[in-house]
Structures are given as C-alpha cells and as structure tokens.
Coordinates of all heavy atoms in Angstrom, one line a residue:
M1 N 23.4 -47.2 63.0 CA 24.4 -46.1 62.8 C 23.9 -45.3 61.6 O 23.7 -44.1 61.7 CB 25.8 -46.6 62.6 CG 26.9 -45.7 62.1 SD 27.1 -44.4 63.3 CE 28.1 -43.3 62.4
Y2 N 23.7 -45.8 60.5 CA 23.3 -45.1 59.3 C 22.0 -44.5 59.5 O 21.9 -43.2 59.2 CB 23.2 -46.1 58.1 CG 22.8 -45.3 56.8 CD1 23.7 -44.6 56.2 CD2 21.5 -45.5 56.3 CE1 23.3 -43.9 55.0 CE2 21.1 -44.9 55.1 CZ 22.1 -44.0 54.5 OH 21.7 -43.3 53.4
Q3 N 21.1 -45.1 60.3 CA 19.8 -44.6 60.6 C 19.9 -43.3 61.4 O 19.2 -42.3 61.2 CB 18.9 -45.4 61.2 CG 18.0 -46.3 60.1 CD 17.2 -47.3 60.9 OE1 17.5 -47.7 61.9 NE2 16.1 -47.6 60.2
K4 N 20.9 -43.4 62.3 CA 21.0 -42.3 63.2 C 21.5 -41.1 62.5 O 21.1 -39.9 62.7 CB 22.0 -42.7 64.3 CG 21.7 -42.4 65.7 CD 22.7 -42.8 66.7 CE 22.3 -42.8 68.1 NZ 23.3 -43.4 69.0
V5 N 22.5 -41.3 61.6 CA 23.0 -40.2 60.9 C 22.0 -39.6 60.0 O 21.9 -38.3 59.9 CB 24.3 -40.6 59.9 CG1 24.6 -39.4 59.0 CG2 25.4 -41.1 60.8
L6 N 21.1 -40.4 59.4 CA 20.0 -39.8 58.6 C 19.1 -39.0 59.4 O 18.7 -37.9 59.1 CB 19.3 -41.0 58.1 CG 18.3 -40.7 56.8 CD1 19.2 -40.2 55.6 CD2 17.5 -42.0 56.4
A7 N 18.6 -39.5 60.5 CA 17.7 -38.9 61.5 C 18.3 -37.5 61.9 O 17.7 -36.5 61.8 CB 17.5 -39.7 62.7
A8 N 19.7 -37.5 62.2 CA 20.3 -36.3 62.6 C 20.3 -35.2 61.4 O 20.1 -34.0 61.7 CB 21.7 -36.6 63.0
S9 N 20.4 -35.7 60.2 CA 20.5 -34.7 59.2 C 19.1 -34.2 58.9 O 18.9 -33.0 58.4 CB 21.3 -35.3 57.9 OG 20.7 -36.5 57.6
V10 N 18.1 -35.0 59.0 CA 16.7 -34.6 58.7 C 16.4 -33.6 59.8 O 15.8 -32.5 59.4 CB 15.7 -35.8 58.9 CG1 14.3 -35.3 58.9 CG2 15.8 -36.7 57.6
L11 N 16.7 -33.7 61.1 CA 16.5 -32.8 62.1 C 17.2 -31.5 61.8 O 16.6 -30.4 62.0 CB 17.0 -33.4 63.4 CG 16.5 -32.8 64.7 CD1 15.0 -33.0 64.8 CD2 17.2 -33.2 65.8
A12 N 18.4 -31.6 61.3 CA 19.1 -30.4 61.0 C 18.5 -29.5 60.0 O 18.3 -28.3 60.1 CB 20.7 -30.7 60.5
V13 N 17.9 -30.1 58.9 CA 17.2 -29.4 57.9 C 16.0 -28.8 58.5 O 15.7 -27.7 58.3 CB 16.8 -30.5 56.7 CG1 15.8 -29.7 55.8 CG2 18.1 -30.9 55.9
L14 N 15.2 -29.6 59.3 CA 14.0 -29.0 59.9 C 14.3 -27.8 60.8 O 13.6 -26.8 60.7 CB 13.3 -30.1 60.7 CG 12.6 -31.3 59.9 CD1 12.0 -32.2 60.8 CD2 11.6 -30.7 58.9
T15 N 15.3 -27.9 61.6 CA 15.6 -26.8 62.6 C 16.2 -25.7 61.7 O 16.0 -24.5 62.3 CB 16.5 -27.2 63.7 OG1 17.6 -27.9 63.2 CG2 15.8 -28.1 64.6
A16 N 16.8 -25.8 60.7 CA 17.4 -24.8 60.0 C 16.4 -23.9 59.2 O 16.6 -22.8 58.8 CB 18.5 -25.3 59.0
A17 N 15.2 -24.6 58.9 CA 14.2 -24.0 58.0 C 13.7 -22.5 58.4 O 13.8 -21.6 57.5 CB 13.1 -25.0 57.8
P18 N 13.3 -22.4 59.7 CA 12.8 -21.0 60.0 C 13.9 -19.9 59.9 O 13.7 -18.9 59.3 CB 12.4 -21.1 61.5 CG 12.3 -22.5 61.7 CD 13.2 -23.3 60.8
A19 N 15.2 -20.3 60.3 CA 16.3 -19.3 60.1 C 16.5 -19.0 58.7 O 16.7 -17.7 58.2 CB 17.5 -19.9 60.7
F20 N 16.4 -20.0 57.8 CA 16.6 -19.8 56.4 C 15.6 -18.9 55.9 O 15.8 -18.0 55.1 CB 16.5 -21.1 55.6 CG 16.7 -21.0 54.1 CD1 17.9 -20.7 53.7 CD2 15.5 -21.1 53.3 CE1 18.1 -20.5 52.2 CE2 15.7 -21.1 51.9 CZ 17.0 -20.7 51.5
A21 N 14.3 -19.1 56.3 CA 13.1 -18.2 55.7 C 13.5 -16.7 56.1 O 13.3 -15.9 55.3 CB 11.8 -18.6 56.4
A22 N 14.0 -16.5 57.4 CA 14.2 -15.0 57.8 C 15.3 -14.6 56.8 O 15.2 -13.4 56.4 CB 14.6 -15.1 59.1
V23 N 16.4 -15.2 56.6 CA 17.5 -14.8 55.8 C 16.9 -14.5 54.4 O 17.3 -13.5 53.8 CB 18.6 -15.8 55.8 CG1 19.5 -15.4 54.6 CG2 19.3 -15.9 57.0
S24 N 16.1 -15.4 53.9 CA 15.6 -15.1 52.5 C 14.8 -13.9 52.4 O 14.9 -13.2 51.4 CB 15.1 -16.5 52.0 OG 13.7 -16.3 51.7
G25 N 14.0 -13.6 53.4 CA 13.2 -12.3 53.3 C 14.1 -11.1 53.2 O 14.0 -10.2 52.4
A26 N 15.1 -11.1 54.0 CA 16.2 -10.0 54.0 C 16.9 -10.0 52.7 O 17.1 -8.9 52.0 CB 17.2 -10.3 55.2
T27 N 17.3 -11.1 52.1 CA 18.0 -11.3 50.9 C 17.1 -10.8 49.7 O 17.6 -10.1 48.8 CB 18.5 -12.7 50.7 OG1 19.2 -13.1 51.9 CG2 19.3 -12.8 49.4
L28 N 15.9 -11.2 49.7 CA 15.0 -10.9 48.6 C 14.7 -9.3 48.7 O 14.7 -8.8 47.7 CB 13.7 -11.6 48.8 CG 13.8 -13.1 48.5 CD1 12.6 -13.8 49.1 CD2 13.9 -13.3 47.0
F29 N 14.6 -8.8 49.9 CA 14.4 -7.4 50.0 C 15.6 -6.6 49.4 O 15.4 -5.6 48.6 CB 14.2 -7.0 51.5 CG 13.9 -5.5 51.7 CD1 12.6 -4.9 51.5 CD2 15.0 -4.6 51.9 CE1 12.4 -3.6 51.7 CE2 14.7 -3.3 52.0 CZ 13.6 -2.7 51.9
K30 N 16.8 -7.1 49.7 CA 18.0 -6.5 49.2 C 18.0 -6.5 47.7 O 18.4 -5.5 47.0 CB 19.3 -7.1 49.7 CG 19.6 -6.6 51.1 CD 21.1 -7.0 51.5 CE 21.3 -6.9 53.0 NZ 21.1 -8.1 53.7
Q31 N 17.7 -7.8 47.1 CA 17.6 -7.9 45.7 C 16.6 -7.0 45.0 O 16.9 -6.5 44.0 CB 17.3 -9.3 45.4 CG 18.4 -10.3 45.3 CD 18.0 -11.8 45.3 OE1 16.8 -12.1 45.1 NE2 18.9 -12.7 45.4
H32 N 15.4 -6.9 45.5 CA 14.3 -6.3 44.8 C 13.9 -4.9 45.2 O 13.4 -4.1 44.5 CB 13.1 -7.2 44.9 CG 13.2 -8.5 44.2 ND1 13.2 -8.7 42.9 CD2 13.3 -9.7 44.8 CE1 13.4 -10.1 42.7 NE2 13.5 -10.6 43.8
C33 N 14.1 -4.6 46.5 CA 13.5 -3.4 47.0 C 14.4 -2.3 47.6 O 14.2 -1.1 47.6 CB 12.6 -3.8 48.2 SG 11.6 -5.3 48.0
A34 N 15.7 -2.8 48.0 CA 16.5 -1.8 48.8 C 17.1 -0.7 47.9 O 17.4 0.3 48.3 CB 17.7 -2.7 49.4
F35 N 17.0 -1.0 46.5 CA 17.6 0.1 45.7 C 16.7 1.4 45.9 O 17.3 2.4 46.0 CB 17.5 -0.4 44.3 CG 17.8 0.6 43.2 CD1 19.0 1.1 43.0 CD2 16.7 1.2 42.4 CE1 19.4 2.0 42.0 CE2 17.1 2.3 41.5 CZ 18.4 2.7 41.4
C36 N 15.4 1.2 45.9 CA 14.5 2.4 46.1 C 14.1 2.6 47.6 O 13.8 3.7 47.9 CB 13.2 2.2 45.4 SG 13.4 2.3 43.6
H37 N 14.3 1.6 48.5 CA 13.9 1.6 49.9 C 15.2 1.3 50.8 O 15.1 0.5 51.6 CB 12.9 0.7 50.1 CG 11.5 1.0 49.5 ND1 10.8 2.1 49.8 CD2 10.9 0.3 48.4 CE1 9.7 2.0 49.0 NE2 9.7 1.0 48.2
P38 N 16.3 2.0 50.6 CA 17.4 1.8 51.4 C 17.1 2.1 52.9 O 16.5 3.0 53.3 CB 18.6 2.7 50.8 CG 17.9 3.8 50.3 CD 16.6 3.2 49.7
D39 N 17.4 1.1 53.8 CA 17.1 1.2 55.2 C 15.6 1.6 55.5 O 15.3 2.1 56.5 CB 17.9 2.3 55.8 CG 19.5 1.9 55.9 OD1 19.8 0.7 56.1 OD2 20.3 2.8 55.6
G40 N 14.8 1.0 54.6 CA 13.4 1.2 54.7 C 12.9 2.6 54.5 O 11.7 3.0 54.6
G41 N 13.8 3.4 53.8 CA 13.4 4.8 53.5 C 12.7 4.7 52.0 O 12.2 3.6 51.6
N42 N 12.8 5.9 51.3 CA 12.1 5.9 50.0 C 12.8 7.0 49.3 O 12.6 8.2 49.5 CB 10.7 6.1 50.0 CG 10.0 5.9 48.6 OD1 10.5 6.2 47.7 ND2 8.8 5.4 48.6
I43 N 13.7 6.7 48.2 CA 14.5 7.6 47.5 C 13.6 8.5 46.5 O 14.1 9.5 46.1 CB 15.7 7.0 46.7 CG1 15.2 6.0 45.7 CG2 16.6 6.4 47.7 CD1 16.2 5.7 44.7
M44 N 12.5 7.9 46.1 CA 11.7 8.6 45.2 C 10.5 9.5 45.8 O 10.1 10.5 45.2 CB 11.0 7.6 44.3 CG 12.0 6.9 43.5 SD 11.3 5.6 42.4 CE 10.7 6.6 41.0
N45 N 10.0 9.1 47.1 CA 8.9 9.8 47.7 C 9.2 9.7 49.2 O 8.9 8.7 49.7 CB 7.6 9.2 47.3 CG 6.4 10.0 47.9 OD1 6.6 10.7 48.9 ND2 5.2 9.7 47.3
K46 N 9.7 10.8 49.7 CA 10.2 10.7 51.2 C 9.0 10.5 52.2 O 9.2 10.2 53.3 CB 11.0 11.8 51.5 CG 10.4 13.2 51.6 CD 11.3 14.2 52.0 CE 10.8 15.6 51.9 NZ 9.5 16.0 52.4
N47 N 7.8 10.7 51.7 CA 6.6 10.5 52.5 C 6.1 9.0 52.6 O 5.2 8.7 53.3 CB 5.4 11.3 52.2 CG 5.8 12.9 52.3 OD1 6.4 13.3 53.2 ND2 5.5 13.7 51.2
K48 N 6.7 8.2 51.8 CA 6.2 6.8 51.6 C 7.3 5.9 52.0 O 7.6 5.0 51.2 CB 5.7 6.7 50.2 CG 4.6 7.6 49.7 CD 3.4 6.8 49.9 CE 2.2 7.7 49.3 NZ 0.9 7.0 49.3
T49 N 7.9 6.0 53.2 CA 8.9 5.2 53.6 C 8.2 3.7 54.0 O 7.0 3.6 54.1 CB 9.6 5.6 54.8 OG1 8.8 5.6 55.9 CG2 10.1 7.0 54.5
L50 N 9.0 2.9 54.4 CA 8.5 1.5 54.9 C 8.5 1.5 56.5 O 8.3 0.5 57.1 CB 9.4 0.4 54.4 CG 9.5 0.3 52.9 CD1 10.3 -0.9 52.6 CD2 8.2 0.5 52.2
H51 N 8.6 2.7 57.1 CA 8.5 2.8 58.5 C 7.0 2.8 58.9 O 6.2 3.3 58.2 CB 9.2 3.9 59.0 CG 10.7 3.8 58.9 ND1 11.5 3.0 59.6 CD2 11.6 4.4 57.9 CE1 12.8 3.1 59.2 NE2 12.8 3.9 58.1
K52 N 6.9 2.2 60.1 CA 5.5 2.0 60.7 C 4.5 3.2 60.6 O 3.3 3.0 60.2 CB 5.6 1.6 62.1 CG 4.4 0.8 62.6 CD 4.6 0.3 64.0 CE 3.3 -0.5 64.4 NZ 3.4 -1.0 65.8
K53 N 4.9 4.3 60.9 CA 4.1 5.5 60.8 C 3.5 5.7 59.5 O 2.3 5.9 59.3 CB 5.0 6.8 61.3 CG 4.2 8.0 61.5 CD 5.1 9.1 62.2 CE 6.4 9.5 61.3 NZ 6.0 10.4 60.2
D54 N 4.4 5.7 58.3 CA 3.9 5.9 57.1 C 3.0 4.6 56.6 O 2.0 4.9 56.0 CB 5.1 6.0 56.1 CG 5.8 7.3 56.3 OD1 5.2 8.3 57.0 OD2 6.8 7.6 55.7
L55 N 3.4 3.4 56.9 CA 2.7 2.3 56.6 C 1.3 2.3 57.1 O 0.2 2.2 56.5 CB 3.3 1.0 56.9 CG 4.7 0.6 56.3 CD1 5.0 -0.7 56.6 CD2 4.6 0.7 54.7
N56 N 1.2 2.7 58.5 CA -0.1 2.8 59.1 C -1.0 3.8 58.5 O -2.1 3.6 58.3 CB 0.1 2.9 60.7 CG 0.5 1.6 61.3 OD1 0.7 0.6 60.7 ND2 0.9 1.8 62.6
R57 N -0.4 5.0 58.2 CA -1.1 6.1 57.7 C -1.8 5.7 56.3 O -2.9 6.0 56.0 CB -0.2 7.3 57.4 CG -1.0 8.6 56.8 CD 0.2 9.4 56.1 NE 0.8 8.7 55.0 CZ 2.0 8.8 54.6 NH1 2.9 9.6 55.3 NH2 2.6 8.1 53.7
D58 N -1.2 4.8 55.5 CA -1.6 4.3 54.3 C -2.4 2.9 54.4 O -2.6 2.3 53.4 CB -0.5 4.2 53.2 CG 0.1 5.5 53.0 OD1 -0.7 6.6 53.1 OD2 1.2 5.7 52.5
G59 N -2.7 2.6 55.6 CA -3.4 1.4 55.8 C -2.8 0.0 55.7 O -3.4 -1.0 55.4
I60 N -1.5 0.1 55.7 CA -0.7 -1.2 55.6 C -0.3 -1.6 57.0 O 0.5 -1.0 57.7 CB 0.6 -0.9 54.7 CG1 0.2 -0.5 53.3 CG2 1.5 -2.2 54.6 CD1 1.3 -0.1 52.4
K61 N -0.9 -2.7 57.4 CA -0.8 -2.9 58.9 C 0.0 -4.3 59.1 O 0.4 -4.6 60.3 CB -2.2 -3.2 59.5 CG -3.2 -2.0 59.3 CD -3.4 -1.3 60.6 CE -4.3 -0.2 60.4 NZ -3.7 1.1 60.5
D62 N 0.1 -5.1 58.1 CA 0.8 -6.4 58.2 C 1.4 -6.8 56.9 O 1.3 -6.1 55.9 CB -0.2 -7.5 58.8 CG -1.4 -7.6 57.9 OD1 -1.4 -7.1 56.6 OD2 -2.4 -8.1 58.2
W63 N 1.9 -8.1 56.9 CA 2.7 -8.5 55.7 C 1.8 -8.6 54.5 O 2.3 -8.2 53.4 CB 3.4 -9.8 55.9 CG 2.6 -10.9 56.2 CD1 2.2 -11.4 57.4 CD2 2.0 -11.8 55.2 NE1 1.3 -12.5 57.3 CE2 1.1 -12.9 55.9 CE3 1.9 -12.0 53.8 CZ2 0.4 -13.8 55.3 CZ3 1.1 -12.9 53.2 CH2 0.5 -13.8 53.9
K64 N 0.5 -8.8 54.7 CA -0.4 -8.9 53.6 C -0.5 -7.5 52.9 O -0.7 -7.4 51.7 CB -1.8 -9.4 54.0 CG -1.8 -10.8 54.5 CD -3.1 -11.4 54.9 CE -3.1 -12.7 55.4 NZ -4.2 -13.1 56.2
G65 N -0.5 -6.4 53.7 CA -0.5 -5.1 53.1 C 0.6 -4.8 52.3 O 0.5 -4.2 51.2
V66 N 1.8 -5.3 52.7 CA 3.1 -5.0 51.9 C 3.0 -5.9 50.6 O 3.3 -5.3 49.6 CB 4.3 -5.4 52.7 CG1 5.5 -5.3 51.9 CG2 4.4 -4.7 54.1
V67 N 2.4 -7.1 50.7 CA 2.3 -7.9 49.5 C 1.3 -7.2 48.5 O 1.6 -7.1 47.3 CB 1.9 -9.3 49.8 CG1 1.6 -10.1 48.6 CG2 3.0 -10.0 50.7
A68 N 0.2 -6.6 49.0 CA -0.8 -6.0 48.2 C -0.1 -4.8 47.4 O -0.4 -4.6 46.3 CB -2.0 -5.5 49.0
K69 N 0.7 -4.1 48.1 CA 1.4 -3.0 47.5 C 2.4 -3.5 46.4 O 2.4 -2.9 45.3 CB 2.2 -2.2 48.6 CG 3.1 -1.1 48.0 CD 2.3 -0.1 47.3 CE 1.6 0.9 48.3 NZ 1.2 2.2 47.6
M70 N 3.0 -4.6 46.7 CA 4.0 -5.1 45.7 C 3.2 -5.6 44.4 O 3.6 -5.4 43.2 CB 4.7 -6.3 46.1 CG 5.7 -6.0 47.3 SD 6.2 -7.4 48.2 CE 6.8 -8.5 47.0
R71 N 1.9 -6.2 44.6 CA 1.1 -6.7 43.5 C 0.6 -5.5 42.8 O 0.1 -5.6 41.6 CB 0.1 -7.5 44.0 CG 0.6 -8.8 44.6 CD 1.5 -9.7 43.8 NE 1.8 -11.0 44.4 CZ 2.9 -11.6 44.3 NH1 4.0 -11.0 43.7 NH2 3.2 -12.8 44.8
N72 N 0.3 -4.3 43.4 CA -0.5 -3.2 42.9 C 0.1 -1.9 43.4 O -0.5 -1.2 44.2 CB -2.0 -3.4 43.3 CG -2.9 -2.5 42.5 OD1 -2.5 -1.9 41.4 ND2 -4.1 -2.3 43.0
P73 N 1.2 -1.6 42.9 CA 2.0 -0.4 43.5 C 1.3 1.0 43.0 O 0.6 1.0 42.1 CB 3.3 -0.5 43.1 CG 3.3 -1.3 41.8 CD 1.9 -2.2 41.9
G74 N 1.7 2.0 43.7 CA 1.3 3.3 43.3 C 2.4 3.9 42.3 O 3.3 3.1 41.9
P75 N 2.4 5.2 42.0 CA 3.2 5.8 41.0 C 4.7 5.7 41.2 O 5.0 6.0 42.4 CB 2.8 7.3 40.9 CG 1.5 7.4 41.7 CD 1.3 6.2 42.5
G76 N 5.5 5.3 40.4 CA 6.9 5.2 40.5 C 7.4 3.9 41.1 O 8.8 3.6 40.9
M77 N 6.6 3.1 41.7 CA 7.1 1.8 42.2 C 7.0 0.7 41.1 O 6.0 0.6 40.4 CB 6.4 1.4 43.5 CG 6.9 0.1 44.0 SD 6.4 -0.1 45.8 CE 6.3 -2.0 45.8
T78 N 8.0 -0.2 41.0 CA 7.9 -1.3 40.2 C 6.8 -2.3 40.6 O 6.5 -2.5 41.8 CB 9.2 -2.2 40.2 OG1 10.3 -1.2 40.2 CG2 9.3 -3.2 39.1
R79 N 6.0 -2.9 39.6 CA 5.1 -3.9 39.9 C 5.7 -5.2 39.9 O 6.5 -5.6 39.1 CB 3.9 -3.9 38.8 CG 2.8 -5.0 39.2 CD 1.9 -5.1 38.0 NE 1.2 -3.7 37.8 CZ 0.1 -3.4 38.5 NH1 -0.4 -4.2 39.3 NH2 -0.5 -2.3 38.2
Y80 N 5.4 -6.0 41.0 CA 5.9 -7.4 41.1 C 4.7 -8.4 41.0 O 4.0 -8.5 42.0 CB 6.6 -7.6 42.3 CG 7.8 -6.6 42.5 CD1 7.6 -5.4 43.1 CD2 9.1 -6.9 42.0 CE1 8.7 -4.4 43.2 CE2 10.1 -6.0 42.1 CZ 9.9 -4.8 42.7 OH 11.0 -3.9 42.8
D81 N 4.5 -9.1 39.8 CA 3.6 -10.1 39.9 C 4.1 -11.4 40.4 O 5.3 -11.5 40.8 CB 3.0 -10.3 38.5 CG 3.9 -10.7 37.5 OD1 5.0 -11.2 37.9 OD2 3.7 -10.6 36.2
A82 N 3.2 -12.5 40.5 CA 3.7 -13.7 41.2 C 4.7 -14.5 40.4 O 5.3 -15.4 40.8 CB 2.4 -14.6 41.3
K83 N 4.9 -14.1 39.1 CA 6.0 -14.5 38.3 C 7.4 -13.9 38.7 O 8.4 -14.7 38.7 CB 5.8 -14.4 36.8 CG 5.0 -15.4 36.2 CD 5.0 -15.2 34.6 CE 3.6 -15.8 34.1 NZ 2.9 -14.8 33.2
A84 N 7.3 -12.6 39.0 CA 8.6 -12.1 39.4 C 9.0 -12.4 40.8 O 10.1 -12.7 41.1 CB 8.4 -10.5 39.2
I85 N 7.9 -12.4 41.6 CA 8.2 -12.8 43.2 C 7.1 -13.7 43.5 O 5.9 -13.2 43.6 CB 8.3 -11.4 44.0 CG1 9.4 -10.6 43.7 CG2 8.3 -11.8 45.5 CD1 9.5 -9.3 44.5
T86 N 7.3 -14.9 43.8 CA 6.2 -15.9 44.1 C 5.6 -15.4 45.5 O 6.1 -14.8 46.3 CB 6.8 -17.4 44.3 OG1 7.7 -17.3 45.5 CG2 7.7 -17.7 43.1
D87 N 4.4 -16.0 45.7 CA 3.6 -15.7 46.9 C 4.4 -16.0 48.1 O 4.5 -15.2 49.0 CB 2.3 -16.5 46.9 CG 1.3 -15.8 45.9 OD1 1.4 -14.7 45.5 OD2 0.3 -16.5 45.5
P88 N 5.1 -17.2 48.3 CA 5.9 -17.4 49.5 C 7.0 -16.4 49.7 O 7.3 -15.9 50.8 CB 6.4 -18.8 49.4 CG 5.6 -19.4 48.4 CD 5.0 -18.5 47.5
Q89 N 7.7 -16.1 48.6 CA 8.7 -15.0 48.6 C 8.2 -13.7 49.0 O 8.7 -13.0 49.8 CB 9.4 -15.0 47.3 CG 10.3 -16.1 46.8 CD 10.9 -16.0 45.5 OE1 10.3 -15.4 44.7 NE2 12.1 -16.5 45.3
A90 N 7.0 -13.3 48.5 CA 6.4 -12.0 48.7 C 6.0 -12.0 50.2 O 6.2 -11.0 50.9 CB 5.2 -11.9 47.9
K91 N 5.5 -13.0 50.8 CA 5.2 -13.1 52.2 C 6.5 -12.9 53.1 O 6.5 -12.2 54.0 CB 4.7 -14.5 52.6 CG 4.2 -14.6 54.0 CD 3.5 -15.9 54.4 CE 3.2 -15.9 55.9 NZ 3.0 -17.2 56.4
A92 N 7.6 -13.6 52.6 CA 8.8 -13.4 53.4 C 9.3 -12.0 53.4 O 9.8 -11.4 54.4 CB 9.9 -14.3 52.7
I93 N 9.2 -11.3 52.2 CA 9.6 -9.9 52.2 C 8.7 -9.1 53.0 O 9.1 -8.2 53.8 CB 9.5 -9.4 50.7 CG1 10.5 -10.2 49.8 CG2 9.7 -7.9 50.6 CD1 10.5 -9.8 48.3
G94 N 7.4 -9.3 53.0 CA 6.4 -8.6 53.8 C 6.7 -8.8 55.2 O 6.7 -7.7 56.0
E95 N 6.9 -10.0 55.8 CA 7.2 -10.2 57.1 C 8.5 -9.5 57.5 O 8.6 -8.9 58.6 CB 7.3 -11.6 57.4 CG 6.0 -12.3 57.4 CD 6.1 -13.8 57.5 OE1 7.1 -14.5 57.3 OE2 5.0 -14.4 58.0
Y96 N 9.5 -9.4 56.6 CA 10.9 -8.8 56.9 C 10.7 -7.3 57.0 O 11.1 -6.7 57.9 CB 11.7 -9.1 55.7 CG 13.0 -8.3 55.8 CD1 14.1 -8.7 56.8 CD2 13.3 -7.2 55.0 CE1 15.2 -7.9 56.8 CE2 14.4 -6.4 55.1 CZ 15.4 -6.8 56.0 OH 16.5 -6.1 56.1
V97 N 9.8 -6.8 56.2 CA 9.5 -5.3 56.1 C 8.8 -4.9 57.5 O 9.3 -3.9 58.2 CB 8.5 -4.8 54.9 CG1 8.2 -3.4 55.2 CG2 9.5 -4.9 53.7
I98 N 7.8 -5.7 57.9 CA 7.1 -5.4 59.1 C 7.9 -5.4 60.3 O 7.9 -4.5 61.2 CB 5.8 -6.3 59.2 CG1 4.8 -6.0 58.1 CG2 5.2 -6.0 60.6 CD1 4.3 -4.5 58.0
K99 N 8.7 -6.5 60.4 CA 9.5 -6.7 61.6 C 10.8 -5.8 61.7 O 11.4 -5.6 62.8 CB 9.8 -8.1 61.9 CG 11.0 -8.7 61.1 CD 11.4 -10.1 61.8 CE 12.7 -10.5 61.4 NZ 13.0 -11.1 60.1
T100 N 11.3 -5.3 60.5 CA 12.5 -4.7 60.5 C 12.5 -3.2 60.6 O 13.3 -2.6 61.3 CB 13.3 -5.1 59.2 OG1 13.4 -6.5 59.0 CG2 14.8 -4.5 59.2
F101 N 11.5 -2.5 59.9 CA 11.5 -1.2 59.9 C 10.3 -0.7 60.7 O 9.2 -0.7 60.5 CB 11.2 -0.6 58.5 CG 12.1 -1.2 57.5 CD1 11.7 -2.0 56.5 CD2 13.6 -1.0 57.6 CE1 12.7 -2.5 55.5 CE2 14.4 -1.6 56.7 CZ 14.1 -2.3 55.7
K102 N 10.8 -0.2 62.1 CA 9.7 0.1 63.0 C 9.2 1.6 62.8 O 10.0 2.3 62.4 CB 10.3 -0.1 64.4 CG 10.8 -1.5 64.7 CD 9.8 -2.5 65.0 CE 10.4 -3.8 65.3 NZ 9.5 -4.9 65.3
Ligands
LIG1 C1 11.7 1.8 41.5 C2 11.8 2.1 42.9 C3 11.1 1.2 43.7 C4 11.2 -0.2 44.0 C5 12.3 -1.1 43.3 C6 10.4 -0.6 45.0 N1 9.6 0.4 45.5 FE1 8.2 0.5 46.9 N2 7.7 2.3 46.5 C7 8.3 3.2 45.6 C8 7.6 4.4 45.5 C9 7.8 5.5 44.5 C10 6.5 4.3 46.5 C11 5.5 5.3 46.7 C12 4.3 5.1 45.7 C13 3.3 4.1 46.3 O1 2.8 4.3 47.3 O2 3.3 2.9 45.7 C14 6.7 3.1 47.0 C15 5.9 2.6 48.2 C16 6.0 1.4 48.7 C17 5.1 1.0 50.0 C18 4.2 2.0 50.7 C19 4.9 2.9 51.6 C20 3.9 3.8 52.3 O3 4.4 4.5 53.2 O4 2.7 3.9 51.9 C21 5.6 -0.3 50.2 C22 5.1 -1.1 51.5 C23 6.6 -0.6 49.3 N3 6.8 0.4 48.5 C24 7.3 -1.8 49.4 C25 8.2 -2.2 48.4 C26 8.7 -3.5 48.3 C27 8.5 -4.7 49.5 C28 9.6 -3.6 47.3 C29 10.4 -4.8 46.8 C30 9.6 -5.9 46.5 C31 9.5 -2.2 46.6 N4 8.7 -1.5 47.4 C32 10.3 -1.9 45.5 C33 9.4 2.8 44.8 C34 10.0 1.5 44.7

C-alpha cells in the first residue's frame, strides 16, 4: 500500500514536469521580458518585435537565437548573463518566445 502511494506520487511528479517547464517559460518571460516586449512587441524599437518575421530577418531562427540575444543584446535591451537567468531558464524563455509569437 505504501509503495503504491509512493509510486503514484513519483509518477505524478514525472508527468507534471513538461507542463511545469512550459509554465515557467511563460512566467519567466513575464518577469524579465514582457515589460519591453508586451505581447511579443517592442516598446523601444517597433522594428524589433519577437514575431517571426522580425526574428527571421535578424537571423533568429530558434530558441538558441533568442538565448544568444539575451546573452549579447543590441542597443536598449538589458543584458542577461547566466547569473541573472540560468541556461535552462534561458532555454525555456527561448522556446516560449518561438512557439508563442508567430
Ligand atoms: C529594457 C527593455 C528590454 C527588455 C527588458 C528586454 N528587451 Fe529584448 N529588446 C529590446 C530592444 C530595445 C531590442 C532591439 C535591440 C536589439 O536588437 O537588441 C530588443 C530585441 C530583442 C530581440 C530581437 C528582436 C528582433 O526582431 O531582432 C529578442 C529576441 C529579444 N529582444 C528578446 C528578449 C527577451 C527574451 C527578453 C527577456 C529575457 C528581453 N528581450 C528583454 C528591449 C528589451
């Protein structure tokens, strides 16, 4: 009986993990990025939104491109090193940006 309960809770944690990662990308984006990029826009430079057309024009094709921008941004954007936003967090934000803003 005890073992069964334990197994069930381990399973619950495992199956909850991917959903949690998705939530955390969205949450991290809200915390760090949405101030300047509400709805994937850009309040400082309207030509540099997070929508696919602009990203592709600037050679940002996947989450790695978004992370590269966070690590080495252009004029006006805050720089986020691995202390401010860890690599796994940065990946989650990058994946969120690519899948959310078409
Ligand atoms: C203080 C305002 C500000 C914050 C906060 C900010 N950005 Fe930016 N972002 C900018 C500006 C200004 C640019 C245009 C300059 C450039 O290309 O770096 C930009 C550009 C970008 C681009 C390139 C867009 C394009 O079309 O080429 C990406 C991707 C991006 N930001 C992602 C993020 C992410 C992810 C975060 C949060 C971790 C974030 N930004 C936080 C201001 C901000």
